[in-house]
Amino acid sequence: MRIGIAIPNTTQGTNGPLILDWAKRAEERGFAFVSTIGRVPYPSFDSLTALAAVSGATSTIGLLTNAVLGPTYPDAVLAKISATVAQLSGDRLTLGLGVGARESDYRASERDFTTRGAAFDRQLEYLDRAWRGEPVEDGDFPGERRAVAPPGNPVPILIGGHGQPLRTPYRTLGRRLDRGGRRTPARGGDRRSDPGRVARGGPGGGAADAGARLLLRRRPVRGRVGRQHPAVLRLRG
């Protein structure tokens, strides 16, 4: 079992030095990771920026966003920032992602709240390609395509949500995680790694209101997660 502790990035009265000291003490006490909470129209410290600072103040403790509202970011910006934090921290980042249920987060970000599920579906596939250094954006010249981040190890992703049963587009990623951490095609007969057995989606046309959590990481994970689906689906984004 791995036990972590949240840093108080949303607690009023917190300052930068306190957050860094908190993370240092968490590492000294043996916690496996520190985590953050992400909101936009709230007087809090930004999750990924805070964890970037924490990574420089620590050496071994894991870093978890719990959770960044993925569709409030442009895909290229989220890919670049998360890849930067992951690589500068020595691959200690786990990117917790969700879509959120508050329209205010999307108004403040100037993003569309009603299509957040479909946007999240596209974003997950984009992140997978961007982290591998693939050319995902147009460049300055006709026909030119560019990467947005240096190639590196894929960032483990933790997806959280609630509401309707999970409709997963993650079959399109065509990957599952084996014990060696290699990318391999999903096996149709392996129910533990086959997300296609979960049907229907929530409002927004995608993973917007998932009834389970989808954990994408390097180790096999066991245990009951979510109210409606007891299995943890293990893929790699």
Side-chain angles (χ1 to χ4, degrees):
M1 178 181 294
R2 301 174 72 243
I3 299 176
I5 187 171
I7 60 174
N9 70 304
T10 60
T11 303
Q12 300 301 294
T14 300
N15 57 40
L18 187 152
I19 286 179
L20 297 183
D21 186 56
W22 186 290
K24 291 176 188 176
R25 293 189 180 195
E27 184 172 73
E28 291 169 358
R29 300 300 191 274
F31 284 99
F33 60 87
V34 290
S35 64
T36 58
I37 297 174
R39 286 294 311 278
V40 182
Y42 194 81
S44 56
F45 290 88
D46 174 73
S47 287
L48 284 164
T49 309
L51 291 180
V54 166
S55 75
T58 58
S59 58
T60 60
I61 197 166
L63 312 170
L64 169 67
T65 59
N66 186 30
V68 162
L69 303 180
T72 64
Y73 286 77
D75 296 347
V77 174
L78 182 57
K80 182 182 287 289
I81 295 174
S82 55
T84 299
V85 176
Q87 293 193 37
L88 293 183
S89 67
D91 289 328
R92 286 189 279 151
L93 176 66
T94 295
L95 186 63
L97 291 174
V99 296
R102 298 179 177 89
E103 191 169 357
S104 59
D105 287 305
Y106 287 79
R107 285 197 304 268
S109 305
E110 300 181 357
R111 309 285 285 179
D112 185 19
F113 177 72
T114 61
T115 60
R116 67 198 188 281
F120 193 39
D121 292 349
R122 294 190 298 269
Q123 185 175 73
L124 289 172
E125 186 171 1
Y126 183 101
L127 290 172
D128 177 66
R129 296 172 56 211
W131 289 333
R132 287 185 277 132
E134 291 187 11
V136 291
E137 294 292 337
D138 291 334
D140 298 324
F141 307 102
E144 181 189 15
R145 298 285 288 174
R146 287 183 178 173
V148 298
N153 293 323
V155 180
I157 293 177
L158 173 67
I159 299 177
H162 59 84
Q164 298 295 323
L166 179 66
R167 165 196 168 268
T168 170
Y170 312 117
R171 180 190 290 276
T172 62
L173 297 178
R175 299 174 182 88
R176 73 175 186 88
L177 189 64
D178 68 6
R179 290 182 181 272
R182 298 182 296 275
R183 296 173 180 273
T184 57
R187 300 172 188 167
D190 186 350
R191 290 178 58 85
R192 295 170 302 171
S193 60
D194 181 8
R197 63 193 173 91
V198 184
R200 294 197 301 117
D209 295 277
R213 289 185 179 180
L214 178 64
L215 182 61
L216 297 80
R217 54 188 301 141
R218 292 185 175 86
R219 299 183 182 89
V221 178
R222 298 178 177 84
R224 186 174 182 85
V225 180
R227 295 178 299 171
Q228 301 177 22
H229 301 293
V232 175
L233 308 179
R234 290 177 285 119
L235 304 178
R236 183 67 161 280

